[in-house]
Amino acid sequence: MKTPYLSAQQIQNFHQNGYLIVDDFASEAEIAALQAESHQIIEAFDFEQIRIFTTENQMQHMDTYFLESGDKIRCFFEEEAFDKSGNLKIDKQLAINKIGHAMHDLNPVFERFSYRRELLDIVKDLGMNQPLIAQSQYIFKQANIGAKVNPHTDSTFIYTQPLSCLGAWVALEDATTNNGCLCAIPGSHRQYPLQQQFIRNKMQTGTEFVDTLEERAKWPIDQLIPLVVKKGALVLLQGEVVHSSYANRSTQSRHAYIVHLVDASCKWSPKNWLQRPNDHPFRDMENVVHQLNR
Ligand code: FE2
């Protein structure tokens, strides 16, 4: 029997609130390595991948670019960062919205951090039997232009039967109410059944939201509370907890790295936007942790 990483109180808090903050999860050295690696990924990024010549096919191109990113490392930019001709208006390091969605499996630095034994212990403490990391994202929340994220639940985007999505969000910089920290409605995962699913459309050419309930309840968004955390903190988010973040209009960026896990004993929805090709399946977290620590 392994020693729990989390205390009984922390586990109870997670189930009660739908989120849990674990301070000092990532070290200064780990954070510096992740930031340096993301810098390299952006430097090496080939802009021809997203350069579009007519606005007509731009949407389709971006949909395809997104849908194919589940087993790749791709860069996504802030819309406001481009001029009408599709050229970047600002330095690409400052124009990026996020990198996704498989650096945990493709990039050794992100792999080492994502498959830390402590994270495996934590998600098992929270009740996962056979965790696997479904996706990873480096979120930049740039100073001045970082876009807001509307209230949502992560199981909407990562749907299994039964539901099993768990987010593990790591602050790579201090997250405050000024630079757009996470906000969550405590206990909302227990009060509101999943309302929507984000899926591939029938033609597999784009995505859409579909209602999973006859009638949607209105979330009490006035009950969103800010999760102010220091650099290095880990925030665990239950898949049905309602959360969001404000736009960043401050002069400080708010970098974060997040992985979303699911339980392999639950059925991955064939409708999920994220699909892995047969030759690049999801990896069992426990196996990878053992391999990396051998
Ligand atoms: Fe989320």
Side-chain angles (χ1 to χ4, degrees), residues 37-204:
E37 200 62 17
S38 75
H39 191 93
Q40 286 304 321
I41 291 170
I42 301 166
E43 279 308 295
F45 181 70
D46 172 14
F47 265 82
E48 290 308 314
Q49 285 190 56
I50 57 165
R51 188 180 293 282
I52 316 299
F53 299 101
T54 70
T55 47
E56 230 168 70
N57 65 12
Q58 177 154 358
M59 285 298 284
Q60 186 52 58
H61 185 91
M62 288 313 290
D63 279 345
T64 307
Y65 183 75
F66 173 74
L67 285 175
E68 289 176 350
S69 68
D71 67 331
K72 298 184 180 64
I73 299 175
R74 288 194 160 170
C75 296
F76 298 86
F77 289 83
E78 294 286 354
E79 261 175 50
E80 292 171 31
F82 295 90
D83 65 20
K84 283 195 181 119
S85 315
N87 297 311
L88 265 188
K89 290 191 287 192
I90 47 177
D91 180 345
K92 62 181 177 178
Q93 291 288 345
L94 299 175
I96 187 162
N97 172 284
K98 71 171 183 179
I99 307 172
H101 289 93
M103 48 271 217
H104 61 291
D105 281 339
L106 298 174
N107 178 295
V109 175
F110 282 97
E111 179 186 56
R112 168 72 50 188
F113 182 73
S114 308
Y115 289 97
R116 263 181 58 176
R117 180 175 295 283
E118 293 82 358
L119 184 61
L120 175 65
D121 289 346
I122 286 171
V123 300
K124 289 197 143 199
D125 287 347
L126 297 179
M128 288 195 127
N129 293 316
Q130 207 187 329
L132 58 81
I133 301 177
Q135 69 171 21
S136 47
Q137 301 173 88
Y138 190 114
I139 312 272
F140 291 83
K141 201 76 154 183
Q142 302 284 2
N144 304 310
I145 60 165
K148 71 171 177 177
V149 177
N150 287 323
H152 67 280
T153 58
D154 289 344
S155 285
T156 291
F157 299 88
I158 299 177
Y159 187 89
T160 61
Q161 284 178 312
L163 297 175
S164 64
C165 179
L166 174 67
W169 184 103
V170 180
L172 304 179
E173 294 178 311
D174 292 350
T176 69
T177 51
N178 283 334
N179 68 0
C181 66
L182 284 174
C183 299
I185 303 178
S188 48
H189 63 304
R190 292 182 287 108
Q191 288 157 358
Y192 301 95
L194 195 75
Q195 314 212 17
Q196 281 194 310
Q197 210 183 330
F198 179 74
I199 61 171
R200 286 181 178 229
N201 63 18
K202 283 205 177 67
M203 304 290 286
Q204 303 272 318

Side-chain angles (χ1 to χ4, degrees), residues 14-15 17-20 153-155 163 165-167 189-190 236-243:
F14 174 80
H15 293 301
N17 295 324
Y19 60 85
L20 176 71
T153 58
D154 289 344
S155 285
L163 297 175
C165 179
L166 174 67
H189 63 304
R190 292 182 287 108
L236 297 145
L237 290 162
Q238 205 270 3
E240 290 90 78
V241 78
V242 178
H243 62 283

Side-chain angles (χ1 to χ4, degrees), residues 1 40 81 87 95 135 188 207 230 241 256 274 276 286 292:
M1 192 81 176
Q40 286 304 321
N87 297 311
Q135 69 171 21
S188 48
T207 54
K230 285 277 176 209
V241 78
L274 194 164
R276 282 290 187 93
E286 192 140 19
L292 291 174

Side-chain angles (χ1 to χ4, degrees), residues 5-6 10 20-26 122 169 229-230 232-236:
Y5 185 96
L6 300 175
Q10 285 176 304
L20 176 71
I21 296 169
V22 179
D23 288 323
D24 301 319
F25 176 79
I122 286 171
W169 184 103
V229 294
K230 285 277 176 209
L234 167 68
V235 182
L236 297 145

